[in-house]
Short mmCIF file of all heavy atoms in Angstrom, two decimals:
data_model
loop_
_atom_site.label_atom_id
_atom_site.label_comp_id
_atom_site.label_asym_id
_atom_site.label_seq_id
_atom_site.Cartn_x
_atom_site.Cartn_y
_atom_site.Cartn_z
N ILE A 83 -37.40 -2.05 -5.12
CA ILE A 83 -36.08 -2.62 -5.38
C ILE A 83 -35.03 -1.60 -4.94
O ILE A 83 -35.11 -0.42 -5.30
CB ILE A 83 -35.88 -2.95 -6.89
CG1 ILE A 83 -36.76 -4.13 -7.30
CG2 ILE A 83 -34.40 -3.28 -7.17
CD1 ILE A 83 -36.61 -4.51 -8.77
N CYS A 84 -34.09 -2.06 -4.14
CA CYS A 84 -33.00 -1.20 -3.71
C CYS A 84 -31.76 -1.57 -4.54
O CYS A 84 -31.31 -2.72 -4.51
CB CYS A 84 -32.75 -1.41 -2.22
SG CYS A 84 -31.38 -0.45 -1.60
N VAL A 85 -31.22 -0.61 -5.27
CA VAL A 85 -30.07 -0.88 -6.14
C VAL A 85 -28.78 -0.55 -5.39
O VAL A 85 -28.63 0.57 -4.88
CB VAL A 85 -30.15 -0.04 -7.43
CG1 VAL A 85 -28.93 -0.28 -8.30
CG2 VAL A 85 -31.42 -0.38 -8.19
N VAL A 86 -27.87 -1.51 -5.28
CA VAL A 86 -26.59 -1.28 -4.60
C VAL A 86 -25.43 -1.62 -5.53
O VAL A 86 -25.61 -2.31 -6.54
CB VAL A 86 -26.48 -2.14 -3.31
CG1 VAL A 86 -27.49 -1.68 -2.27
CG2 VAL A 86 -26.63 -3.61 -3.61
N GLU A 87 -24.25 -1.12 -5.16
CA GLU A 87 -23.08 -1.39 -6.00
C GLU A 87 -22.55 -2.81 -5.82
O GLU A 87 -22.19 -3.47 -6.78
CB GLU A 87 -21.95 -0.38 -5.67
CG GLU A 87 -22.30 1.05 -6.05
CD GLU A 87 -21.15 2.02 -5.76
OE1 GLU A 87 -20.00 1.58 -5.62
OE2 GLU A 87 -21.43 3.23 -5.67
N GLU A 88 -22.47 -3.24 -4.56
CA GLU A 88 -21.80 -4.50 -4.27
C GLU A 88 -22.65 -5.41 -3.39
O GLU A 88 -23.46 -4.93 -2.58
CB GLU A 88 -20.48 -4.23 -3.53
CG GLU A 88 -19.50 -3.35 -4.28
CD GLU A 88 -18.94 -4.02 -5.52
OE1 GLU A 88 -19.10 -5.25 -5.68
OE2 GLU A 88 -18.33 -3.31 -6.35
N PRO A 89 -22.43 -6.74 -3.48
CA PRO A 89 -23.22 -7.66 -2.65
C PRO A 89 -23.14 -7.36 -1.16
O PRO A 89 -24.12 -7.50 -0.44
CB PRO A 89 -22.61 -9.03 -2.97
CG PRO A 89 -21.97 -8.88 -4.29
CD PRO A 89 -21.52 -7.46 -4.38
N PHE A 90 -21.94 -6.91 -0.68
CA PHE A 90 -21.84 -6.69 0.76
C PHE A 90 -22.64 -5.48 1.21
O PHE A 90 -22.94 -5.35 2.40
CB PHE A 90 -20.39 -6.61 1.24
CG PHE A 90 -19.51 -5.69 0.46
CD1 PHE A 90 -19.50 -4.34 0.73
CD2 PHE A 90 -18.69 -6.17 -0.54
CE1 PHE A 90 -18.67 -3.49 0.03
CE2 PHE A 90 -17.86 -5.33 -1.26
CZ PHE A 90 -17.85 -3.98 -0.98
N ASN A 91 -23.02 -4.61 0.28
CA ASN A 91 -23.90 -3.48 0.66
C ASN A 91 -25.25 -4.01 1.15
O ASN A 91 -25.88 -3.39 2.00
CB ASN A 91 -24.11 -2.54 -0.52
CG ASN A 91 -22.83 -1.90 -1.03
OD1 ASN A 91 -22.67 -1.67 -2.22
ND2 ASN A 91 -21.90 -1.63 -0.12
N ILE A 92 -25.66 -5.17 0.61
CA ILE A 92 -26.93 -5.76 1.04
C ILE A 92 -26.86 -6.12 2.53
O ILE A 92 -27.78 -5.85 3.29
CB ILE A 92 -27.27 -7.01 0.20
CG1 ILE A 92 -27.54 -6.59 -1.26
CG2 ILE A 92 -28.46 -7.76 0.77
CD1 ILE A 92 -27.95 -7.74 -2.16
N LEU A 93 -25.73 -6.70 2.94
CA LEU A 93 -25.57 -7.08 4.35
C LEU A 93 -25.74 -5.85 5.24
O LEU A 93 -26.41 -5.91 6.27
CB LEU A 93 -24.18 -7.69 4.60
CG LEU A 93 -23.89 -9.08 4.05
CD1 LEU A 93 -22.52 -9.54 4.53
CD2 LEU A 93 -24.95 -10.07 4.51
N SER A 94 -25.12 -4.73 4.83
CA SER A 94 -25.20 -3.51 5.65
C SER A 94 -26.64 -3.03 5.76
O SER A 94 -27.10 -2.66 6.84
CB SER A 94 -24.35 -2.40 5.03
OG SER A 94 -23.04 -2.85 4.78
N ILE A 95 -27.36 -3.04 4.64
CA ILE A 95 -28.74 -2.54 4.67
C ILE A 95 -29.62 -3.51 5.45
O ILE A 95 -30.47 -3.09 6.24
CB ILE A 95 -29.27 -2.33 3.23
CG1 ILE A 95 -28.45 -1.22 2.55
CG2 ILE A 95 -30.75 -1.99 3.24
CD1 ILE A 95 -28.81 -0.97 1.10
#
Side-chain angles (χ1 to χ4, degrees):
Chain A
I83 290 180
C84 178
V85 178
V86 293
E87 293 182 20
E88 301 292 347
F90 49 83
N91 298 145
I92 294 183
L93 288 186
S94 308
I95 296 176

